[in-house]
Amino acid sequence: MRLAAPLMSVMLVAACAGPVTAAGGNVLSGSQPGAGTRAKGAGIVVADRHGWTSAGLGGSVPAAGSCHLRKAADGEPLPDPECTPGAVDRAVTDADVSSTVCRKGGYTASVRPPEALTESVKKKLLAAYGIPASRIRDYELDHLVELAAGGASDVRNLWPEPNTFQQFRPSEFVHNDKDAVEAYTFHAICAGTVSVSAVQKAMATDWTTAVKVLGLPPVPADYKG
């Protein structure tokens, strides 16, 4: 889901099994976020403390040029699964969505890391995916598993997503095609139609097929979130 400004919040992507580092690249202790475990299926990382603390984000910044954007069968962009396998928040479970992601008054603002932790590393993320810093405005830093579905801000859940449209139209809540899918599946979670864990796995595996995999009706072409 779109962050407040392109690549201005949470600017990291991690290697699948690298050391846990703070925003500045220093190795953190095992008690820091990113010391979480992998969930079964899809290679998803289970993060502690929303994937970050005041010391920085969980995960480590991969080497420049080591990550590569892919294209789905329909041409939509996908992250590199070796760099961005997805990470979820241990605090969000199927049993507690009413008090977490679906709670009244909103949820994502309470778990989003401050820009002060992420700004200094945004160019490193672009470099990891081989994207020139001069193109920063063409991308947003996206949570592969969105915060509204219990995604964590661990770097292994973050990737530079092109802000492009092939299927939907822009709106206040939809800034690229993936945003529409995220909003649609979020409402399905809160309606009790699908479980949050099923959405997490589907989005981490391939967001372009998530709606079909979850057994939901296709997202309407005029959907605005």
Side-chain angles (χ1 to χ4, degrees), residues 74 76 164-169 177 181 207-208 219-222:
D74 61 1
E76 293 277 20
T164 57
F165 286 94
Q166 295 185 38
Q167 304 177 53
F168 306 108
R169 297 179 180 179
D177 285 340
V181 174
W207 69 266
T208 70
V219 183
D222 60 349

Side-chain angles (χ1 to χ4, degrees), residues 14-15 58 93 111-112 114 151 174 183 190-191:
T93 69
V111 297
R112 191 184 302 278
V174 174
C190 295

Side-chain angles (χ1 to χ4, degrees), residues 122-144:
K122 65 180 179 181
K123 291 183 180 179
K124 292 182 181 179
L125 172 61
L126 290 173
Y129 268 85
I131 301 168
S134 60
R135 296 184 58 195
I136 190 170
R137 295 184 180 277
D138 297 333
Y139 295 81
E140 72 170 56
L141 196 286
D142 180 68
H143 290 79
L144 179 59

Side-chain angles (χ1 to χ4, degrees), residues 31-53:
S31 64
Q32 294 295 337
T37 59
R38 287 190 184 280
K40 292 182 179 179
I44 300 173
V45 175
V46 180
D48 294 321
R49 306 179 189 176
H50 311 308
W52 63 280
T53 69

Side-chain angles (χ1 to χ4, degrees), residues 161-183:
E161 181 191 11
N163 276 319
T164 57
F165 286 94
Q166 295 185 38
Q167 304 177 53
F168 306 108
R169 297 179 180 179
S171 72
E172 180 182 357
F173 303 105
V174 174
H175 302 273
N176 53 55
D177 285 340
K178 185 170 180 285
D179 282 352
V181 174
E182 290 173 350

Side-chain angles (χ1 to χ4, degrees), residues 64-208:
S66 62
C67 308
H68 306 280
L69 292 176
R70 300 176 295 137
K71 286 188 177 181
D74 61 1
E76 293 277 20
L78 294 172
D80 188 325
E82 294 300 317
C83 295
T84 316
V88 296
D89 191 334
R90 189 183 300 277
V92 178
T93 69
D94 291 334
D96 65 13
V97 293
S98 62
S99 61
T100 55
V101 296
C102 299
R103 71 188 183 200
K104 292 182 179 180
Y107 167 80
T108 59
S110 69
V111 297
R112 191 184 302 278
E115 184 180 321
L117 292 182
T118 62
E119 176 65 11
S120 65
V121 295
K122 65 180 179 181
K123 291 183 180 179
K124 292 182 181 179
L125 172 61
L126 290 173
Y129 268 85
I131 301 168
S134 60
R135 296 184 58 195
I136 190 170
R137 295 184 180 277
D138 297 333
Y139 295 81
E140 72 170 56
L141 196 286
D142 180 68
H143 290 79
L144 179 59
V145 179
E146 62 274 23
L147 293 178
S153 291
D154 185 290
V155 297
R156 289 162 286 192
N157 193 42
L158 303 172
W159 64 297
E161 181 191 11
N163 276 319
T164 57
F165 286 94
Q166 295 185 38
Q167 304 177 53
F168 306 108
R169 297 179 180 179
S171 72
E172 180 182 357
F173 303 105
V174 174
H175 302 273
N176 53 55
D177 285 340
K178 185 170 180 285
D179 282 352
V181 174
E182 290 173 350
Y184 191 70
T185 53
F186 165 71
H187 291 303
I189 291 169
C190 295
T193 307
V194 296
S195 68
V196 70
S197 60
V199 171
Q200 291 171 347
K201 183 176 179 179
M203 294 297 287
T205 302
D206 185 337
W207 69 266
T208 70

